[in-house]
Amino acid sequence: MRLFIPGPVNVEEDVLKVMSSPMISHRSKSASYLQQSISKNMQILWNTKNSILLSTSSGSGLMEAAVKSLILKKGVFFSLGAFGKRWYEMAIANGKKADIYEVEEGYSNKAEFIDSILKKGCYDFAAITHNETSTGVENPLIDISNVMKKYSEIIFAVDTVSSTGGVDIDVDSCKIDFCVTSTQKCLGLPPGLSICSLSDKAINRTKHVENRGYYLDLLTLYEYTINKDYQYPATPSLSHMYALDYKLNKIINIEKKENRFQRHKLLADITRDWARDRYKLLVKDNNYSDTVTAVVNSRETDLKILSSKLKDQGYVFSNGYGKLKDKTFRIAHMADTTIEELKAYLETIDKLI
Ligand SMILES: Cc1ncc(COP(=O)(O)O)c(C=O)c1O
């Protein structure tokens, strides 16, 4: 089956093979080398000198770690859909004080609006979603980060779960204190591991926050990683780590970052042109995602029938997320999808609608 859903994605055969490498002791030198190598490559991918931490959990694990470990006074969440809202709910569920500001589906968060809220001076943590997988909107990260730079007391946290590996993210020039992603989207690996970068400012913040928990405590993760020679506090998924290390080497040294990002742009253009000719796009202010397109079902295609016919042809189709379930459908164009694979998928849909 070919998956055209926004994660999990198709995983290349060679990556799957590396995942089944024999086990080693997680307390061995080899485990340290493995984690150190991943850290170096993630620093290259994210353009950062910040510390790289891993978690044997999906991205939600490290998102929860951020709210537990980095909010001291009060957090603010600028949401553009389901995943921004979920991050805010995590903060509340962890007993943190937090506010949420949401935009209508299809819109991005506006830097000027964020500025007007941060001016109030009551927040010490601000989070955005870079790429909202439910609406296919990519937030204007550079504009927002330029606003964030004015507020040195605020920890700037960015969810790049559905953009890292498909879109260039410059953690250091955007001064992102906490950047998080998962393996099962644009990085092209199975689900089960998440990665974050942590600035010195963020590390310092964790030292002032009480009751950070244990498994998801960013300071514990940091101390094991940096002060204990790239170790992990518990038993990590070494299989994922092998695969991630191998895949990052492929992205950086074989495909090369620029080519990968360019391929994602091309895939997104092809998908949007196809969708515009047949349906409507959900995005309203031109902030299109390069990794997933949300299509408004303006022709009232029976999505259940379409999905089942596509399944017969060997494809996994994605309808909308949450309350957009029946109103939209999504086409993921991320990870290692080729132009030919995408075109074949779109041609198949054409024969069925
Ligand atoms: C933008 C975004 N943020 C967060 C998440 C949650 O990540 P995970 O499923 O890896 O926990 C997702 C998952 O789809 C997502 O798309």
Side-chain angles (χ1 to χ4, degrees):
M1 291 296 260
R2 292 299 299 168
L3 301 167
F4 274 89
I5 59 174
V9 295
N10 305 297
V11 181
E12 297 165 312
E13 285 296 323
D14 53 340
V15 174
L16 286 175
K17 218 165 155 194
V18 170
M19 246 196 121
S20 58
S21 302
M23 274 305 110
I24 52 170
S25 160
H26 65 298
R27 294 288 169 237
S28 62
K29 275 266 167 237
S30 306
S32 292
Y33 289 140
L34 182 60
Q35 195 171 332
Q36 189 171 17
S37 172
I38 292 170
S39 288
K40 281 187 184 150
N41 280 329
M42 279 308 300
Q43 285 175 325
I44 295 172
L45 189 65
W46 269 339
N47 305 291
T48 184
K49 292 193 175 61
N50 287 350
S51 303
I52 303 292
L53 310 180
L54 304 181
S55 172
T56 294
S57 66
S58 73
S60 304
L62 279 177
M63 289 165 78
E64 186 149 14
V67 301
K68 285 168 90 73
S69 309
L70 297 172
I71 301 177
L72 189 59
K73 283 194 298 187
K74 193 175 191 183
V76 59
F77 294 79
F78 297 99
S79 167
L80 34 64
F83 292 102
K85 191 161 184 210
R86 193 191 285 178
W87 210 356
Y88 160 77
E89 285 167 355
M90 282 180 189
I92 298 300
N94 278 283
K96 298 289 180 176
K97 285 193 183 139
D99 289 332
I100 183 168
Y101 293 93
E102 297 176 272
V103 292
E104 200 188 311
E105 285 139 6
Y107 286 96
S108 59
N109 296 122
K110 299 284 172 289
E112 310 78 61
F113 176 76
I114 291 181
D115 199 11
S116 73
I117 299 299
L118 297 184
K119 263 188 204 145
K120 293 180 185 171
C122 55
Y123 303 111
D124 60 5
F125 174 95
I128 63 160
T129 312
H130 179 216
N131 189 79
E132 177 52 65
T133 323
S134 61
T135 59
V137 174
E138 185 185 302
N139 248 334
L141 181 58
I142 295 176
D143 293 352
I144 295 174
S145 69
N146 285 338
V147 164
M148 294 304 312
K149 285 173 193 166
K150 292 169 38 183
Y151 300 93
S152 60
E153 71 286 6
I154 296 179
I155 296 288
F156 180 31
V158 184
D159 163 359
T160 67
V161 166
S162 60
S163 51
T164 287
V167 176
D168 199 12
I169 294 162
D170 198 322
V171 165
D172 284 359
S173 79
C174 291
K175 285 201 177 301
I176 301 172
D177 294 301
F178 173 85
C179 185
V180 61
T181 197
S182 310
T183 47
Q184 77 278 11
K185 300 203 192 276
C186 309
L187 290 171
L189 297 166
L193 191 73
S194 51
I195 310 144
C196 73
S197 69
L198 206 60
S199 69
D200 289 344
K201 182 170 130 189
I203 294 157
N204 190 44
R205 169 65 61 79
T206 62
K207 295 178 182 163
H208 300 279
V209 179
E210 288 177 359
N211 300 319
R212 301 181 306 271
Y214 187 88
Y215 193 71
L216 295 175
D217 173 21
L218 290 177
L219 184 58
T220 303
L221 273 179
Y222 170 78
E223 280 176 347
Y224 268 80
T225 308
I226 305 303
N227 301 336
K228 293 192 181 170
D229 195 21
Y230 293 91
Q231 287 279 307
Y232 187 73
T235 317
S237 173
L238 292 158
S239 308
H240 278 94
M241 288 166 65
Y242 277 130
L244 177 58
D245 187 42
Y246 176 81
K247 188 62 197 253
L248 288 172
N249 270 311
K250 269 185 94 174
I251 293 174
I252 292 165
N253 302 315
I254 298 177
E255 183 173 16
K256 310 249 188 262
K257 281 166 54 171
E258 316 69 62
N259 297 336
R260 191 171 178 88
F261 302 146
Q262 195 49 41
R263 177 170 55 77
H264 278 80
K265 273 194 198 318
L266 203 56
L267 290 166
D269 280 343
I270 292 169
T271 310
R272 287 196 288 268
D273 285 348
W274 177 90
R276 273 193 198 100
D277 286 349
R278 290 151 183 84
Y279 295 92
K280 281 185 185 153
L281 296 173
L282 182 64
V283 172
K284 308 228 173 56
D285 57 4
N286 292 327
N287 285 304
Y288 298 106
S289 161
D290 277 348
T291 65
V292 58
T293 296
V295 183
V296 178
N297 185 13
S298 50
R299 287 163 70 143
E300 299 193 359
T301 302
D302 188 323
L303 297 181
K304 268 203 184 117
I305 294 179
L306 176 62
S307 173
S308 136
K309 287 187 175 166
L310 281 167
K311 197 171 165 196
D312 294 341
Q313 308 268 337
Y315 289 114
V316 182
F317 169 82
S318 175
N319 56 2
Y321 188 92
K323 50 186 176 146
L324 295 170
K325 195 168 185 274
D326 300 317
K327 282 195 275 175
T328 62
F329 63 93
R330 291 173 300 162
I331 299 175
H333 29 83
M334 55 174 69
D336 302 293
T337 303
T338 63
I339 308 293
E340 294 69 37
E341 284 165 346
L342 175 70
K343 284 186 175 166
Y345 181 59
L346 298 177
E347 278 164 21
T348 310
I349 298 182
D350 273 339
K351 288 187 197 134
L352 300 173
I353 56 176

